[in-house]
Amino acid sequence: FSVTAMAADGTSAELVVKRVALPSGVLSFGDQRKKDSYECESRFYDTLAAELRAVGCLVPARILIERHVDGSVTIVMSKLPGSRRSLGEAEMVAVVKFLARMHSQTWGPRAEVVVAKGLQSQGCYWYLDTRQDEWESMPTKGWEGRLRRAAKALDQRLKDDPHQCIVHGDLKSDNMKFDLDDTVSMCDFQYCGRACPMKDLAYLMCCAANEGCSRTVSDKYLVMYHELLSEYLAARAEVAPEIDMLRVALSLAFADLCRWMCGWGYWGDTNELQSQ
């Protein structure tokens, strides 16, 4: 819920208070996954939020984190500016820029350092280890059946991809706000952790972009992302991968996303997703 806090000098600030309590006792697999996600979100504000804000990635500022003996957690954060929108081209450009900057900050070995401080060891909302129910629900015949049989190898290939970073993990439009100048700010870092960066782009283009995820559209934003990533990594004396390596990883990420949706339910630009 949102509150307005008043300081002693009469100034005020809008805050968001998030209190999460889960059932006690032995948790179901889904409840445990959710509990872990909220702990991850609280650790994000402890470890990474201030650094991202310092380089221009607008995320809520940490005000207070309380972890209670009953396993519940309270997160107090600043309220993001702007409002939610559907994602046209201007909004997509802003999000791609945000991702390139965020990914560059935690590129390569540094992702492991940040994960050790409490983020998800496998970032992303739909990765296979926590989505066995959806895998069991996949059809066993046709192209979906073939994807089912390939699911574990596909998941392992993305885990082993040589290019890893900290990803947002849940890039739906509900987790973004846009200011009048199209600047984007992001929230909901429950599934933030180490993963192939193309998982963020695949989810963004399938589930958020108005333009959908046709090969032409996805390549347009991939080229933009690669140019920005190369610039940001160069400033850190690091080298970006060749774009063809990212193209391969993006295709695999689309397939992995489709694998999850086969068992969970399709949404977003599903016709293009299935044709990738």
Side-chain angles (χ1 to χ4, degrees):
F1 57 91
S2 297
V3 298
T4 300
M6 299 294 296
D9 63 1
T11 59
S12 64
E14 289 189 278
L15 305 178
V16 173
V17 180
K18 193 170 186 176
R19 175 70 186 271
V20 182
L22 292 171
S24 59
V26 178
L27 299 179
S28 68
F29 189 86
D31 282 343
Q32 185 63 52
R33 179 178 61 216
K34 184 65 71 174
K35 179 179 185 296
D36 292 344
S37 78
Y38 287 118
E39 178 62 19
C40 171
E41 184 175 30
S42 72
R43 296 296 179 185
F44 168 82
Y45 290 108
D46 282 338
T47 62
L48 196 56
E51 178 181 337
L52 292 180
R53 288 173 61 87
V55 296
C57 292
L58 298 183
V59 302
R62 179 195 189 280
I63 307 300
L64 175 69
I65 305 291
E66 286 188 346
R67 298 177 181 87
H68 308 283
V69 294
D70 63 357
S72 62
V73 61
T74 300
I75 305 172
V76 183
M77 67 195 96
S78 62
K79 187 174 182 179
L80 294 176
S83 58
R84 292 187 176 91
R85 297 185 198 167
S86 60
L87 270 61
E89 185 171 7
E91 291 79 14
M92 282 293 293
V93 169
V95 176
V96 169
K97 183 176 181 179
F98 180 105
L99 289 180
R101 176 67 81 181
M102 176 181 173
H103 291 170
S104 71
Q105 286 295 115
T106 56
W107 195 261
R110 184 150 189 274
E112 299 288 354
V113 175
V114 179
V115 163
K117 296 179 180 179
L119 299 190
Q120 300 274 14
S121 59
Q122 284 293 311
C124 164
Y125 184 68
W126 74 85
Y127 73 93
L128 184 61
D129 291 353
T130 59
R131 294 295 179 175
Q132 289 298 302
D133 289 347
E134 288 84 348
W135 182 82
E136 291 285 353
S137 298
M138 291 178 70
T140 58
K141 296 181 180 180
W143 68 266
E144 291 172 309
R146 294 194 297 275
L147 186 56
R148 176 189 170 113
R149 292 189 291 275
K152 293 181 181 179
L154 178 61
D155 175 71
Q156 192 61 51
R157 169 60 179 79
L158 285 166
K159 288 177 180 174
D160 293 341
D161 192 89
H163 305 109
Q164 303 282 320
C165 65
I166 298 300
V167 300
H168 180 283
D170 192 10
L171 278 172
K172 57 189 179 186
S173 58
D174 285 347
N175 292 334
M176 309 171 193
K177 283 191 172 183
F178 295 89
D179 222 332
L180 294 177
D181 63 355
D182 298 327
T183 300
V184 66
S185 51
M186 297 273 191
C187 63
D188 197 351
F189 288 87
Q190 292 172 230
Y191 299 93
C192 183
R194 178 185 181 274
C196 172
M198 294 299 97
K199 285 193 170 186
D200 267 350
L201 263 70
Y203 195 45
L204 171 68
M205 288 187 280
C206 173
C207 300
N210 289 350
E211 297 171 90
C213 58
S214 69
R215 292 188 183 276
T216 300
V217 169
S218 63
D219 202 62
K220 175 178 72 172
Y221 290 116
L222 177 61
V223 169
M224 183 185 304
Y225 170 87
H226 183 258
E227 290 175 350
L228 290 164
L229 180 70
S230 299
E231 175 188 338
Y232 298 150
L233 286 178
R236 299 171 61 88
E238 299 178 53
V239 179
E242 296 293 330
I243 192 170
D244 284 345
M245 298 182 74
L246 295 183
R247 280 197 180 98
V248 171
L250 181 59
S251 294
L252 295 171
F254 275 128
D256 192 55
L257 177 59
C258 192
R259 177 268 310 159
W260 168 59
M261 287 189 178
C262 281
W264 186 83
Y266 290 105
W267 67 292
D269 189 8
T270 56
N271 290 330
E272 287 293 350
L273 177 65
Q274 294 172 38
S275 70
Q276 286 284 344

